[in-house]
């Protein structure tokens, strides 16, 4: 289970220095210190890159669940929340997997392939 690189909250997190994003999150979501604001690496954390990586490493993908839900990050300000919810609905309706918010991946390495 991991957040995806092109989700709006992840893009914002990538643009801001960690100390700034951490302070911002703690200011908006009081009481979440130690839970929110960790340094994040989003290198290949989007659908097409991750599936290619697994296939290249000879993993068999058993299941991938994707979620577009991310509006909770923007619940502190109604206009941002509504824009985020609209974005989620459009991207989900279009089925653009690379723009999902989260992925849950179940993959298995065949012991014979090493």
């Amino acid at each position: 289970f991991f957040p995806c690189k092109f989700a709006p909250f992840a893009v914002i997190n990538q643009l801001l220095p960690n100390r700034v994003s951490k302070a911002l999150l703690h200011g908006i979501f009081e009481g979440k210190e130690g839970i929110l604001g960790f340094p994040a690496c989003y290198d290949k954390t989007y659908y097409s890159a991750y599936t290619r990586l697994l296939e290249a490493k000879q993993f068999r993908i058993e299941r991938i669940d994707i979620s577009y839900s991310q509006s909770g990050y923007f619940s502190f300000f109604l206009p941002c929340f509504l824009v985020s919810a609209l974005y989620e609905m459009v991207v989900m309706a279009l089925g653009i997997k690379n723009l999902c918010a989260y992925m849950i991946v179940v993959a298995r390495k065949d012991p014979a392939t090493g």
Side-chain angles (χ1 to χ4, degrees):
F1 176 79
F2 52 88
C4 296
K5 181 176 187 163
F6 300 120
F9 70 87
V11 171
I12 292 168
N13 194 27
Q14 292 171 76
L15 294 173
L16 296 174
N18 185 253
R19 63 181 167 67
V20 173
S21 64
K22 194 174 195 175
L24 184 63
L25 284 169
H26 292 169
I28 294 170
F29 301 103
E30 293 179 15
K32 298 290 184 178
E33 295 81 1
I35 298 171
L36 299 176
F38 55 89
C41 300
Y42 297 100
D43 183 29
K44 291 182 174 42
T45 59
Y46 56 100
Y47 186 86
S48 62
Y50 204 75
T51 55
R52 278 193 309 267
L53 177 65
L54 289 172
E55 290 165 359
K57 299 295 182 181
Q58 299 177 334
F59 278 83
R60 183 178 71 236
I61 299 170
E62 298 201 353
R63 180 177 172 172
I64 298 179
D65 294 327
I66 57 175
S67 171
Y68 294 94
S69 180
Q70 61 194 320
S71 294
Y73 278 104
F74 303 101
S75 62
F76 65 93
F77 187 55
L78 184 59
C80 288
F81 176 82
L82 294 174
V83 168
S84 176
L86 179 61
Y87 171 85
E88 289 172 15
M89 288 188 292
V90 169
V91 173
M92 185 171 57
L94 294 173
I96 306 172
K97 293 178 180 179
N98 278 340
L99 297 181
C100 69
Y102 298 96
M103 290 180 23
I104 300 172
V105 178
V106 178
R108 193 175 307 270
K109 181 81 169 181
D110 182 358
T113 62

